[in-house]
């Protein structure tokens, strides 16, 4: 029996195939996962509207692997999405890069993205592309 935060078999199998520099996308429920990613491991976790949240999935994955960088989809105008502060709290000391919507979509099509997870998150711009660091 697994004792880490994350016990989802498809996610754990995908993480086992990742190495330093591999990328993981955690997307909100609005993200067009199949159209805007090219990775083979797509995991749909959305159970109900709002559950699980992107931050819940981030915390579970962070309990299994280390991250060295995060890329965020940012709106063209308006205030910074509130979830960005939650990302910073979970990943202190991590480099955050902010990308426009289409720039973010392009980054998520990279062959380095080995896992994409769709959540039930309702907040917009609650997408994070994570680069795995060393153990």
């Amino acid at each position: 029996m697994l004792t880490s935060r994350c016990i989802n078999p498809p996610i754990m199998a995908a993480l086992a195939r990742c190495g330093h520099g591999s990328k993981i996308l955690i997307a909100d429920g609005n993200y067009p996962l199949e159209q805007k990613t090219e990775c083979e491991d797509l995991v749909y976790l959305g159970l109900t509207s709002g559950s699980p949240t992107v931050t819940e999935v981030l915390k579970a994955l962070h309990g299994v692997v280390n991250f060295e960088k995060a890329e965020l989809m940012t709106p063209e105008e308006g205030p910074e999405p509130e979830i960005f502060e939650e990302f910073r709290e979970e990943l202190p000391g991590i480099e955050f890069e902010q990308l426009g919507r289409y720039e973010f979509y392009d980054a998520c099509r990279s062959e380095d993205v080995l896992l994409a997870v769709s959540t039930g998150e309702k907040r917009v711009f609650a997408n994070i592309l994570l680069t795995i660091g060393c153990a």
Side-chain angles (χ1 to χ4, degrees):
M1 180 61 95
L2 296 173
T3 59
S4 69
R5 285 185 185 177
C6 184
I7 61 169
N8 181 283
I11 290 176
M12 293 299 286
L15 290 176
R17 290 189 291 276
C18 291
H20 182 216
S22 297
K23 295 187 177 190
I24 299 169
L25 169 64
I26 307 173
D28 62 36
N30 301 304
Y31 194 91
L33 206 61
E34 288 194 34
Q35 291 83 12
K36 302 296 182 187
T37 60
E38 302 204 5
C39 74
E40 293 180 23
D41 287 317
L42 303 178
V43 178
Y44 291 88
L45 289 181
L47 181 61
T48 62
S49 180
S51 179
T53 66
V54 168
T55 50
E56 288 172 327
V57 174
L58 174 60
K59 288 176 184 179
L61 295 182
H62 195 211
V64 180
V65 295
N66 292 320
F67 298 111
E68 66 183 21
K69 181 180 177 184
E71 296 166 86
L72 307 174
M73 179 193 285
T74 57
E76 292 180 22
E77 53 188 51
E80 179 179 274
E82 65 182 46
I83 197 169
F84 287 15
E85 187 56 35
E86 294 175 33
F87 293 156
R88 289 185 192 102
E89 287 174 14
E90 178 62 28
L91 301 169
I94 299 293
E95 173 190 348
F96 285 86
E97 183 177 350
Q98 296 190 11
L99 305 173
R101 177 183 298 191
Y102 298 104
E103 202 177 7
F104 188 87
Y105 287 154
D106 289 343
C108 291
R109 286 190 178 106
S110 165
E111 64 185 27
D112 293 335
V113 180
L114 299 185
L115 171 63
V117 180
S118 177
T119 67
E121 180 72 62
K122 293 170 44 175
R123 294 178 283 183
V124 296
F125 292 96
N127 304 296
I128 186 167
L129 183 61
L130 300 153
T131 302
I132 295 178
C134 295

